[in-house]
Amino acid sequence: MKQIKSKSIVFITGAFVTHRGWDNWRTYFENKGYRTVAPPWPFKEGEPQELRAKHPLGNPGLASLKLSELIDSYVDAVRSMPEKPIAIGHSLGGMMAQILLNRGLVEAAVAIHPAPPQGIIPYEFSFFKGGGKALGVFTSSKKTYLMSLADFQYAFVNGMSIEDQKAAYEASAIPESKSVTRGTLTSQAGLDWKKSHGPLLITSGSEDNIIPASLNLRNFKKYPQNNGSITSYKEFHGRNHYILGQPTWKEDADYILDWIEKT
């Protein structure tokens, strides 16, 4: 019997980038008959250039935003939909999709290169090189964090041409809350791994530096495989962390849609 019946999707954005990265994905799924929303994080409304102009002290609401408050904003988005939706999240958004599924608030979840929830210990050097600065150790939480172009090139768009890397940075990169990233190290990022859950698909990319495939595989293996829940895993070859905007994005969307339609 098919388990996923919802025709509604909430797209959950990750850290460091605008929610507009979901635009093509929303069009794709809406053309397949789904209702979609992709809410921006609190205090991240506006275009990337406008948000970057406020860095580092011009957006105190974002600077003080906590991970728990961010998750609550997506809880509100989910509850405002006409039916229990499917959550599709990328990076930190993927982790939040796992949390919403664990709470029983969504019918199913797709975690695209998700950041690790509490209980998954990241030991890969590239994870810390790609995202460690966002913790802002020994820096004021009153200032937002903005990934530099050089760090963005390593963390998100490695392997792409210099021209495409710069264009992606200009179109996507926005300031971040150090309070949110610090919250990923706390119980705010926790879930009950043994609890049964709706269908879950975790995807990874062979070229992802900041969230390497090995980290996503440990995330997948943390779930019990004998509790009656559907938990699936797929590694895509050649994908970096800018997966939502890579030329291959539609292949990934095709795979995800097929998983949803057949589960």
Side-chain angles (χ1 to χ4, degrees), residues 11-12 14 22 25 29 87-95 97-98 109-115 200-205 208 211 216 234 236 239-244 249 252-253 256:
F11 289 106
I12 307 179
W22 292 113
W25 289 69
F29 278 94
I88 301 180
H90 171 248
S91 194
L92 185 59
M95 183 192 76
Q98 289 180 248
V110 179
I112 301 173
H113 303 209
L200 170 65
L201 169 64
I202 295 176
T203 73
S204 65
D208 194 325
I211 309 290
N216 291 145
K234 170 67 176 178
F236 288 97
R239 308 306 197 262
N240 58 25
H241 202 60
Y242 198 63
I243 180 175
L244 302 186
W249 73 266
D252 301 78
I256 290 168

Side-chain angles (χ1 to χ4, degrees), residues 16 124-134 145 147-148 150-152 154-156 208-211:
F16 315 122
E124 291 84 352
F125 171 77
S126 64
F127 171 82
F128 295 102
K129 181 177 179 180
K133 292 180 182 178
Y145 167 79
M147 191 173 283
S148 68
D151 288 336
F152 190 81
Y154 179 82
F156 275 81
D208 194 325
N209 281 334
I210 190 170
I211 309 290

Side-chain angles (χ1 to χ4, degrees), residues 34-184:
Y34 288 82
R35 295 175 292 270
T36 78
V37 296
W41 288 20
F43 310 105
K44 283 189 175 182
E45 301 86 356
E47 296 303 314
Q49 296 85 350
E50 299 170 7
L51 294 170
R52 289 196 294 266
K54 296 179 180 180
H55 174 73
L57 291 170
N59 196 342
L62 177 60
S64 63
L65 181 67
K66 297 178 181 178
L67 177 59
S68 59
E69 296 169 334
L70 174 60
I71 294 171
D72 285 344
S73 76
Y74 281 101
V75 170
D76 291 341
V78 163
R79 287 176 171 165
S80 71
M81 301 190 78
E83 60 183 337
K84 186 180 287 189
I86 302 160
I88 301 180
H90 171 248
S91 194
L92 185 59
M95 183 192 76
M96 289 191 282
Q98 289 180 248
I99 291 172
L100 293 177
L101 184 69
N102 193 248
R103 295 181 183 180
L105 297 173
V106 296
E107 186 177 54
V110 179
I112 301 173
H113 303 209
Q118 191 178 47
I120 306 296
I121 300 175
Y123 51 71
E124 291 84 352
F125 171 77
S126 64
F127 171 82
F128 295 102
K129 181 177 179 180
K133 292 180 182 178
L135 294 173
V137 179
F138 305 123
T139 66
S140 173
S141 61
K142 295 181 179 180
K143 295 181 178 180
T144 53
Y145 167 79
L146 178 61
M147 191 173 283
S148 68
L149 173 59
D151 288 336
F152 190 81
Q153 287 172 310
Y154 179 82
F156 275 81
V157 292
N158 53 295
M160 295 165 57
S161 70
I162 296 299
E163 293 75 15
D164 287 344
Q165 289 179 340
K166 291 180 177 179
Y169 183 85
E170 182 67 20
S172 303
I174 58 176
E176 192 49 82
S177 165
K178 287 178 276 189
S179 297
V180 166
T181 54
R182 291 170 183 173
T184 63

